[in-house]
């Protein structure tokens, strides 16, 4: 099976000068943020994997976030074809999830959870409004791109390692976002508008194990509350 997949990948069309140029530009920006990805060999792998994916999935369009979504696989996996199939799996999972649940609907559900289902986060939510921080600006990216653009790279790898052991990681992901906000709520309340935005778009290092435990607890509490109220956010 692995040999067949390798052969299939090797036969894929990996040429598209326009997309390759755009990928190179985004990888260059990523490499400045993540020095461990520096190197021409990484650049070539990003180009090959993303162009092959787009040439194979003609309905898909290039987006700069593809680079950050691809990055953990490019870094962790030795074989380029392995990185391709993992990237393809994530892209297909995201496409399926956001076809069934539009991004707008997911953000609305998250905001309901943020504002009402977990009262302990209400103070932070009110504070964002007082500081005129546009919650939708960052939470859309957090949800849609699985924190790949905002989280420190080593934290992202640990988080995704846990995700891919789950059957429903995209359903679980909003609770991770809530756990992150809960962990940083005091720090956020000490900041002003521009500082809050900067922190939310470039998250500090965190203890991923602790975040995961709190996310599981938040999800469990939410499900219990939903059962007691006979409705709500799953």
């Amino acid at each position: 099976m692995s040999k067949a997949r390798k052969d299939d990948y090797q036969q894929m069309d990996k040429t598209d000068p326009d997309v390759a140029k755009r990928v190179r530009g985004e990888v260059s920006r990523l490499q400045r943020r993540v020095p461990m990805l520096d190197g021409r060999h990484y650049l070539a792998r990003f180009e090959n994997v993303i162009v092959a994916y787009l040439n194979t999935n003609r309905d898909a369009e290039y987006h700069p976030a593809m680079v950050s979504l691809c990055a953990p696989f490019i870094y962790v996996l030795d074989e380029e074809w392995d990185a391709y199939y993992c990237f393809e799996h994530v892209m297909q999972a995201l496409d399926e999830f956001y076809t069934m649940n539009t991004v707008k609907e997911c953000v609305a559900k998250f905001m309901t959870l943020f504002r009402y289902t977990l009262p302990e986060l209400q103070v932070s939510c009110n504070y964002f409004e007082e500081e005129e921080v546009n919650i939708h600006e960052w939470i859309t990216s957090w949800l849609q791109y699985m924190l790949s653009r905002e989280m420190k790279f080593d934290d992202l790898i640990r988080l995704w390692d846990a995700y891919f052991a789950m059957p429903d990681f995209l359903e679980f992901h909003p609770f991770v976002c809530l756990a992150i906000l809960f962990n940083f709520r005091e720090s956020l309340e000490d900041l002003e508008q521009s500082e809050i935005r900067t922190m939310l778009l470039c998250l500090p290092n965190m203890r991923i194990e602790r975040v995961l435990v709190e996310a599981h607890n938040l999800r469990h509490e939410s499900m219990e509350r939903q059962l007691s109220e006979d409705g709500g956010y799953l």
Side-chain angles (χ1 to χ4, degrees), residues 73-192:
F73 309 122
I74 294 292
Y75 181 72
V76 170
L77 298 172
D78 293 330
E79 299 293 343
E80 185 175 297
W81 62 272
D82 274 336
Y84 170 83
Y85 285 109
C86 288
F87 174 66
E88 182 183 58
H89 171 72
V90 166
M91 294 302 296
Q92 290 176 346
L94 287 168
D95 181 64
E96 180 179 343
F97 185 81
Y98 286 111
T99 297
M100 297 175 61
N101 315 269
T102 67
V103 174
K104 185 176 181 180
E105 290 171 344
C106 290
V107 170
K109 289 179 181 179
F110 180 86
M111 293 305 300
T112 299
L113 188 64
F114 187 27
R115 293 173 183 272
Y116 304 114
T117 309
L118 298 178
E120 60 267 35
L121 292 177
Q122 183 64 40
V123 174
S124 294
C125 187
N126 290 341
Y127 181 72
F128 290 155
E129 292 176 350
E130 291 170 5
E131 289 294 316
E132 298 181 348
V133 174
N134 184 354
I135 294 177
H136 292 79
E137 177 186 10
W138 50 269
I139 199 57
T140 300
S141 178
W142 279 28
L143 293 174
Q144 191 171 8
Y145 305 124
M146 297 169 56
L147 293 164
S148 63
R149 310 186 85 180
E150 296 83 14
M151 188 172 273
K152 298 296 185 188
F153 193 61
D154 51 348
D155 287 341
L156 182 69
I157 290 174
R158 286 196 293 272
L159 176 65
W160 281 20
D161 185 55
Y163 275 4
F164 297 139
M166 301 177 186
D168 61 346
F169 64 90
L170 288 174
E171 296 284 355
F172 180 67
H173 179 65
F175 295 94
V176 169
C177 296
L178 285 171
I180 291 171
L181 290 172
F182 188 75
N183 270 295
F184 289 130
R185 68 192 185 283
E186 293 182 0
S187 298
L188 289 167
E189 289 170 2
D190 289 335
L191 301 176
E192 296 181 354

